[in-house]
Amino acid sequence: MLTGTQQPRPIPRFTRSHDEQRTPLAWAHDLGLVEGYNDPDRGKLLCPGENVERQRAATVLARAFTMGVLK
């Protein structure tokens, strides 16, 4: 849920050639751990400044264990 002046941002596209400049969010997105939100007008969005709901955090952790990112 967005509050105040926070606005969702389009999911950025990252290239593997800039690994040292990638953020943890970009890393998680590239691995498929986070997918963003569906917005009918603007497509998939990531909102890095917002709080994460418990079920979304659980989904990311479950994906990480399933994919072998976490053990």
Side-chain angles (χ1 to χ4, degrees):
M1 174 160 133
L2 297 176
T3 59
T5 60
Q6 291 178 322
Q7 294 296 316
R9 300 179 198 170
I11 295 176
R13 300 292 175 229
F14 297 94
T15 61
R16 299 253 182 236
S17 61
H18 296 95
D19 283 347
E20 69 281 354
Q21 298 175 2
R22 293 176 43 205
T23 65
L25 185 58
W27 173 82
H29 177 260
D30 285 351
L31 286 177
L33 297 175
V34 295
E35 297 176 351
Y37 301 91
N38 286 320
D39 182 282
D41 297 325
R42 297 184 295 186
K44 289 243 184 192
L45 303 171
L46 288 175
C47 302
E50 84 175 27
N51 293 329
V52 176
E53 296 174 356
R54 185 182 321 190
Q55 64 268 25
R56 292 183 190 270
T59 298
V60 171
L61 288 173
R63 286 179 185 158
F65 280 108
T66 300
M67 296 168 63
V69 176
L70 294 175
K71 296 179 183 192

